[in-house]
Amino acid sequence: MSKTYAGRFFEDYAPGQVIEHAVPRTVTAGERALYHALYPARHALYSSDAFAQSCGLPAAPLDDLAAFHVVFGKTVPDISLNAVANLGYAEGRWRASVWPGDTLRAVSEVIGVKQNSNGKSGVVWVRTRGLNQDGVAVLEYVRWVMVRKRDPEAPAPETVIPDLAPAVAADDLVVPPGLDFTGYDVTLAGEPHRWGDYEIGEQIDHVDGVTVEEAEHMMATRLWQNTAKVHFDATLRPDGQRLIYGGHVISLARALSFNGLANAQLIAGLNAGAHANPCFAGDTVRAWSEVLDKAETAAPGVGALRLRLVATKGAPFELKGDDGKYLPDVLLDLDYWVLMPV
Amino acid sequence: MSKTYAGRFFEDYAPGQVIEHAVPRTVTAGERALYHALYPARHALYSSDAFAQSCGLPAAPLDDLAAFHVVFGKTVPDISLNAVANLGYAEGRWRASVWPGDTLRAVSEVIGVKQNSNGKSGVVWVRTRGLNQDGVAVLEYVRWVMVRKRDPEAPAPETVIPDLAPAVAADDLVVPPGLDFTGYDVTLAGEPHRWGDYEIGEQIDHVDGVTVEEAEHMMATRLWQNTAKVHFDATLRPDGQRLIYGGHVISLARALSFNGLANAQLIAGLNAGAHANPCFAGDTVRAWSEVLDKAETAAPGVGALRLRLVATKGAPFELKGDDGKYLPDVLLDLDYWVLMPV
Amino acid sequence: MSKTYAGRFFEDYAPGQVIEHAVPRTVTAGERALYHALYPARHALYSSDAFAQSCGLPAAPLDDLAAFHVVFGKTVPDISLNAVANLGYAEGRWRASVWPGDTLRAVSEVIGVKQNSNGKSGVVWVRTRGLNQDGVAVLEYVRWVMVRKRDPEAPAPETVIPDLAPAVAADDLVVPPGLDFTGYDVTLAGEPHRWGDYEIGEQIDHVDGVTVEEAEHMMATRLWQNTAKVHFDATLRPDGQRLIYGGHVISLARALSFNGLANAQLIAGLNAGAHANPCFAGDTVRAWSEVLDKAETAAPGVGALRLRLVATKGAPFELKGDDGKYLPDVLLDLDYWVLMPV
């Protein structure tokens, strides 16, 4: 029998299954430095221990998206190795900060399955939790993927579609213990714009662009121990290109959004997300944001902002065509909550 | 007199010489993170402090091959700057774990010389030891290289060919103090296959492929402070390509071998190795393994497996042609010992 | 009003202004490892804690140029986002070592302005200080840049040209407390040449060349949080190339200078510097040095050497044409002080 793992197929999933993902990972200052080398990340809370301490935290935590990528990467061999498409995210919450020295692992529960009408594939919903070495959940989110069937003749399972919230309620966002923005230094943070300065419906062009290289996205994706072949093996496509991990585009866009959202320090919730079109080396990625909602929090000086973050190869503020489909230049449409000084 | 160091030539070596290599190097969590960014490394013992602790170690050590590359890199200016070819390895043993914060240096003893019949070059054998800041040997191995003569008219030295073991005896492998696999967690490690599940002669196709970029192999080779010009200077070859450091291919193949050998946690011995053909950017590297031998150890729950690891640009399980020579697609043929749970 | 920061223009600067730059940055062993991956850096004092301790320091500090890049990067959004050219450096001094865990920020004072005769731009001089988390200055230097005017009709300010020293006086160089080269180990350092072995006027060809890739210089420049668009966005130039950050060339040349100047351990002063021609991916960078001056210091066993460091794509020892202009192959002409064992 082959000792090589071929991944799970659609018929291998059933609601209620709990999958403990392999290869726990200790993250350190090394991962933090690499995050800054791979993305133009400048949010001060993650860049500076001293700044984080001035905001009530013991030190600068690992970037929220680095934590997300590590947890996501753990799930790939079990969830998306045979996935045709990464369809969506929902109910994502960052529940505890990740510190250098923490060891992360991931556990997923299957919460929905639905065979496609073509009988060749189906959609699988999982709720994934990232846990640290103490078993504390640092992150949880739902994602759903389209997965091939091993045997097209296998019977369709009973359809179970989970009831997912359209967005995380502001009251459910977790503010890190101790976070206090009452003494927040806008000069050191880089921009004067506070929570009160943003209006629902406001759009921001983040102006800068980054042209992506193969070596960069492969190093990032390897760092997260994401094993999906399409990101690394140039022989899989006739054009010799490697598909860039969608999370790489999320981090690029988030980092670019510093210019206009420098004070959107922490990511607290992930409401929805679509990888609208594939990204390849040579693409120049730009970003724009739209303010979707605002909420207060109980923490001193801390407000929450719900943002749409769009990564694009084209012009800002263009998203979908008359047919309701994403325009070809759009790479990412992300709906998330941030915490910032009021 | 020129202050630039031109390296040693064949006539500069004599059996019994001891060469203390320059530029000691402190390795840290930064090197560990970079190792994970540069190679698809997933062996849990090196990925997770918590997993390593569950196996009786104080924390995750630096990857065995990262330790090898640092030590090897130190030797390059003295041993292989004027080398025509890296001919072989033997009697390699990892003797002590390397931890973040350790400082490594290297010392080599010349143990053999043999001038080639053409009179223009010769073979030099050295036994190299890597030492930590306490003078403890962490690693030792023999390698031999073909080195140019400075002066083709220089007289040939007396031939001394060292008597090298065809393989490290299983009894001579060093198991790190405290290593205990009796409570080993195969779920977290990623695969169920234990030492007892492997049979001598068994072959494993590791399936995945990684296409290599210039930036990646140069960053890796620089990280190991390997100064051989051919890896960095595109003007040295008419085709503008840089020769990829053979050790980069070793690490790629070892990381790819996770898929089928996820529990082959530690590398304990290096029996032999051949860099069969050069590797260049754009090559897609794949790997397959063959089980050569098995042995028990005195450590609780720990078995040893002797493996052939082959890196190739082509199909699995193809190694040599009818002429006994390596096929053109084969990049590496490595013979090594690993430690894994019984 | 747009929330995006467009940077300052010439008319926004006035002598006496103090600009506190944003985004403090904690540097760690991760940055040190990346420095070794991005540049062929081998100076033992920065490579090895044990070597640094043998020289009287508590551990290996962060490379002097890494500290420079972090501080320089902080200034880019305020000083050079709309710069046409980076014209020069003067009066640079490294005043305190930077250790892993330190948090750096930067403050600049405008010390001169001069509108160009074309009325469209002007020269701005700033004195920048890098500060650690205790407010201690770790580094200071003057640089001047040509900056566009927002409004060509804006009136010219009164011209103020600062009085800058042609070189830092040897007596003003800061030797790190405790530095003692009386027990210096030239074998571990890699070369026998001491301060006394160098003569004023001596030229050294550092021999090696490194061909630069887009992914490498972008990762480096991002690591220093330098946000200048020209380094990252391939759509800004018709040829699709990205301009390489001048500091990347400084670090490459300094690292290459190990071969012939291995004992030039610490950088203590920056007297002058010109980025003679732009550098692009695909260029093979080489370096040569010239000894400009020598001085003793009060520290045990420590001498100072003033060096010209030239990075070039061409032959060594060629700098300027008959017209007094830099030859097209010359990338960098740097005038700096180092500390080395007498």
Side-chain angles (χ1 to χ4, degrees):
Chain A
M1 198 202 89
S2 168
K3 290 202 164 59
T4 308
Y5 185 56
R8 288 166 194 251
F9 291 86
F10 178 67
E11 55 265 54
D12 300 327
Y13 297 95
Q17 275 180 348
V18 173
I19 303 172
E20 205 178 336
H21 304 296
V23 188
R25 171 67 170 276
T26 303
V27 292
T28 69
E31 276 74 16
R32 184 160 81 174
L34 270 162
Y35 197 84
H36 282 95
L38 292 163
Y39 308 109
R42 299 181 70 222
H43 288 92
L45 196 82
Y46 299 91
S47 176
S48 164
D49 284 345
F51 190 92
Q53 286 155 2
S54 77
C55 298
L57 302 184
L62 194 72
D63 193 284
D64 302 310
L65 289 176
F68 174 80
H69 295 319
V70 170
V71 171
F72 184 101
K74 307 274 130 263
T75 73
V76 166
D78 298 311
I79 306 298
S80 46
L81 209 61
N82 298 305
V84 184
N86 199 10
L87 297 173
Y89 304 97
E91 299 187 0
R93 292 194 304 154
W94 279 257
R95 291 174 50 180
S97 300
V98 176
W99 308 102
D102 280 357
T103 297
L104 301 184
R105 58 191 177 91
V107 178
S108 296
E109 182 182 1
V110 180
I111 59 169
V113 291
K114 178 179 182 299
Q115 181 166 312
N116 287 332
S117 53
N118 65 15
K120 294 181 182 168
S121 58
V123 178
V124 177
W125 284 260
V126 295
R127 185 181 301 276
T128 296
R129 283 180 307 143
L131 305 168
N132 69 15
Q133 67 281 4
D134 299 321
V136 172
V138 298
L139 171 66
E140 67 176 20
Y141 61 90
V142 171
R143 83 163 160 139
W144 53 106
V145 294
M146 192 184 299
V147 183
R148 281 195 296 274
K149 289 176 75 176
R150 183 186 290 106
D151 171 14
E153 305 303 315
E158 187 183 353
T159 293
V160 175
I161 297 179
D163 186 25
L164 297 172
V168 176
D171 285 350
D172 289 339
L173 299 176
V174 177
V175 179
L179 189 72
D180 180 345
F181 280 158
T182 53
Y184 190 90
D185 185 332
V186 291
T187 301
L188 279 181
E191 284 183 355
H193 323 300
R194 291 168 170 278
W195 180 83
D197 299 323
Y198 291 86
E199 291 177 23
I200 294 175
E202 181 176 355
Q203 291 185 319
I204 301 155
D205 176 8
H206 301 300
V207 180
D208 300 315
V210 171
T211 308
V212 185
E213 299 292 314
E214 298 280 16
E216 293 168 335
H217 77 82
M218 289 200 294
M219 287 184 66
T221 308
R222 264 194 295 259
L223 186 62
W224 319 129
Q225 296 178 311
N226 179 328
T227 59
K229 300 177 209 297
V230 289
H231 307 318
F232 301 106
D233 184 342
T235 69
L236 293 179
R237 291 171 53 96
D239 62 6
Q241 286 198 291
R242 279 144 274 181
L243 185 68
I244 293 178
Y245 162 49
H248 193 65
V249 178
I250 295 178
S251 277
L252 272 178
R254 159 71 174 161
L256 288 169
S257 78
F258 178 92
N259 201 343
L261 282 164
N263 295 319
Q265 291 287 354
L266 302 95
I267 299 183
L270 175 60
N271 302 308
H275 299 288
N277 285 289
C279 183
F280 296 103
D283 287 350
T284 300
V285 178
R286 300 173 192 286
W288 57 273
S289 293
E290 180 178 349
V291 180
L292 299 178
D293 201 358
K294 298 180 67 170
E296 296 180 353
T297 83
V302 180
L305 212 60
R306 184 178 163 197
L307 295 164
R308 157 173 281 161
L309 173 63
V310 177
T312 179
K313 298 183 284 179
F317 313 138
E318 298 182 356
L319 191 65
K320 292 181 178 177
D322 294 338
D323 57 2
K325 292 184 179 169
Y326 286 109
L327 293 169
D329 279 345
V330 174
L331 301 171
L332 170 77
D333 181 12
L334 198 77
D335 178 340
Y336 71 121
W337 280 105
V338 296
L339 302 178
M340 62 189 304
V342 295
Chain B
M1 198 202 89
S2 169
K3 289 201 165 59
T4 309
Y5 185 55
R8 287 165 194 251
F9 291 86
F10 178 67
E11 55 265 54
D12 300 328
Y13 297 96
Q17 274 180 347
V18 173
I19 303 172
E20 205 179 337
H21 305 295
V23 189
R25 171 68 170 276
T26 303
V27 293
T28 69
E31 276 74 15
R32 185 160 79 175
L34 270 162
Y35 197 84
H36 282 94
L38 292 163
Y39 308 110
R42 299 180 70 222
H43 288 92
L45 196 81
Y46 299 92
S47 176
S48 165
D49 283 344
F51 190 91
Q53 286 155 3
S54 77
C55 298
L57 301 184
L62 194 72
D63 193 284
D64 302 309
L65 289 176
F68 174 80
H69 295 320
V70 170
V71 171
F72 185 101
K74 307 274 131 262
T75 72
V76 166
D78 297 311
I79 305 300
S80 47
L81 208 62
N82 298 306
V84 185
N86 199 12
L87 297 173
Y89 305 97
E91 300 187 359
R93 294 194 303 154
W94 279 258
R95 292 173 51 179
S97 300
V98 176
W99 309 102
D102 280 357
T103 298
L104 302 182
R105 60 192 177 89
V107 178
S108 295
E109 183 183 0
V110 180
I111 60 169
V113 291
K114 178 179 182 300
Q115 181 165 314
N116 287 332
S117 55
N118 65 15
K120 294 181 181 167
S121 58
V123 177
V124 178
W125 285 260
V126 294
R127 187 181 301 275
T128 296
R129 284 181 306 143
L131 306 169
N132 69 15
Q133 67 281 3
D134 300 321
V136 172
V138 297
L139 170 67
E140 67 177 18
Y141 62 90
V142 171
R143 84 164 159 138
W144 54 106
V145 293
M146 191 184 300
V147 182
R148 281 195 295 274
K149 290 176 73 177
R150 184 186 291 107
D151 171 14
E153 305 303 316
E158 186 183 354
T159 293
V160 175
I161 297 179
D163 187 24
L164 298 172
V168 176
D171 285 350
D172 290 339
L173 299 176
V174 177
V175 179
L179 189 72
D180 180 345
F181 280 157
T182 54
Y184 190 91
D185 185 332
V186 291
T187 301
L188 280 182
E191 284 183 354
H193 323 299
R194 290 169 170 278
W195 180 83
D197 299 322
Y198 292 87
E199 291 178 23
I200 294 174
E202 181 176 353
Q203 291 184 319
I204 301 156
D205 176 8
H206 301 300
V207 180
D208 301 315
V210 171
T211 309
V212 185
E213 298 293 313
E214 299 278 17
E216 293 169 335
H217 78 81
M218 289 201 295
M219 286 183 66
T221 308
R222 264 193 296 258
L223 186 63
W224 318 129
Q225 297 179 310
N226 179 328
T227 59
K229 300 177 210 296
V230 289
H231 306 318
F232 301 106
D233 184 342
T235 69
L236 293 179
R237 291 172 53 96
D239 62 7
Q241 286 198 292
R242 278 144 275 181
L243 185 68
I244 293 178
Y245 161 51
H248 193 65
V249 178
I250 296 178
S251 277
L252 272 177
R254 159 70 174 161
L256 288 169
S257 77
F258 178 92
N259 202 342
L261 281 165
N263 295 319
Q265 291 288 354
L266 303 94
I267 300 183
L270 175 60
N271 303 308
H275 299 287
N277 285 289
C279 184
F280 296 103
D283 287 350
T284 299
V285 178
R286 301 174 191 285
W288 58 273
S289 292
E290 181 178 349
V291 180
L292 299 178
D293 202 358
K294 298 180 66 169
E296 296 180 351
T297 83
V302 180
L305 212 59
R306 184 178 164 198
L307 296 165
R308 158 174 279 161
L309 173 63
V310 177
T312 179
K313 297 183 284 180
F317 312 138
E318 298 183 356
L319 191 66
K320 293 182 179 177
D322 294 338
D323 57 2
K325 292 184 179 170
Y326 286 110
L327 294 169
D329 279 345
V330 174
L331 302 170
L332 171 77
D333 182 12
L334 199 78
D335 178 341
Y336 72 121
W337 281 105
V338 296
L339 303 178
M340 62 189 304
V342 296
Chain C
M1 199 200 89
S2 169
K3 290 203 165 57
T4 309
Y5 184 56
R8 287 166 194 251
F9 291 86
F10 178 67
E11 56 264 55
D12 300 327
Y13 297 96
Q17 274 180 347
V18 173
I19 303 172
E20 205 177 338
H21 304 296
V23 190
R25 171 67 169 277
T26 303
V27 293
T28 69
E31 276 74 16
R32 185 160 79 174
L34 270 162
Y35 197 84
H36 282 94
L38 292 163
Y39 307 110
R42 298 181 69 222
H43 288 92
L45 195 82
Y46 299 92
S47 176
S48 164
D49 283 344
F51 190 91
Q53 285 154 4
S54 77
C55 297
L57 302 184
L62 194 72
D63 193 284
D64 302 310
L65 289 176
F68 174 80
H69 295 320
V70 170
V71 171
F72 185 100
K74 307 273 130 264
T75 71
V76 166
D78 298 310
I79 306 299
S80 46
L81 209 62
N82 298 306
V84 184
N86 199 11
L87 297 173
Y89 304 97
E91 299 187 359
R93 293 194 303 155
W94 278 258
R95 290 173 53 178
S97 300
V98 176
W99 308 101
D102 279 358
T103 297
L104 301 184
R105 58 191 176 91
V107 178
S108 295
E109 183 183 0
V110 180
I111 59 170
V113 290
K114 178 179 182 299
Q115 182 165 312
N116 287 331
S117 55
N118 65 13
K120 294 180 181 168
S121 58
V123 177
V124 177
W125 284 260
V126 294
R127 185 181 302 273
T128 296
R129 283 180 306 143
L131 305 169
N132 69 15
Q133 66 281 4
D134 300 321
V136 172
V138 297
L139 171 66
E140 66 176 19
Y141 62 90
V142 171
R143 84 164 159 139
W144 53 106
V145 293
M146 191 184 299
V147 184
R148 280 195 296 274
K149 290 176 74 177
R150 183 186 292 105
D151 171 14
E153 305 303 316
E158 186 183 354
T159 293
V160 175
I161 298 178
D163 186 25
L164 298 172
V168 176
D171 285 350
D172 290 338
L173 299 176
V174 177
V175 179
L179 189 72
D180 180 345
F181 280 159
T182 54
Y184 190 90
D185 184 333
V186 292
T187 301
L188 281 182
E191 284 184 354
H193 323 300
R194 291 169 170 277
W195 180 83
D197 299 323
Y198 291 87
E199 290 177 24
I200 295 174
E202 182 176 353
Q203 290 184 320
I204 301 156
D205 175 8
H206 301 300
V207 179
D208 300 316
V210 171
T211 309
V212 185
E213 298 292 314
E214 299 279 17
E216 294 168 336
H217 77 81
M218 289 200 295
M219 286 184 66
T221 308
R222 265 194 295 259
L223 186 63
W224 319 129
Q225 297 179 309
N226 179 328
T227 59
K229 300 177 210 296
V230 289
H231 307 318
F232 302 106
D233 184 343
T235 68
L236 293 179
R237 291 171 52 96
D239 62 6
Q241 286 198 290
R242 278 145 275 180
L243 185 68
I244 294 178
Y245 161 50
H248 192 66
V249 178
I250 295 177
S251 277
L252 272 177
R254 159 71 174 161
L256 288 168
S257 77
F258 178 92
N259 202 342
L261 282 164
N263 295 319
Q265 292 287 355
L266 303 94
I267 300 183
L270 176 60
N271 303 308
H275 299 288
N277 285 289
C279 183
F280 297 103
D283 287 350
T284 300
V285 177
R286 301 174 190 286
W288 57 273
S289 292
E290 181 178 349
V291 180
L292 299 178
D293 201 358
K294 299 179 67 170
E296 296 180 351
T297 82
V302 180
L305 212 59
R306 184 178 163 197
L307 294 164
R308 158 174 280 161
L309 173 63
V310 177
T312 179
K313 298 183 284 179
F317 312 139
E318 298 182 356
L319 191 65
K320 293 181 178 176
D322 294 338
D323 57 3
K325 292 184 179 168
Y326 285 110
L327 293 169
D329 278 346
V330 174
L331 301 170
L332 171 77
D333 182 11
L334 198 77
D335 178 341
Y336 71 121
W337 281 105
V338 296
L339 302 178
M340 63 189 304
V342 295

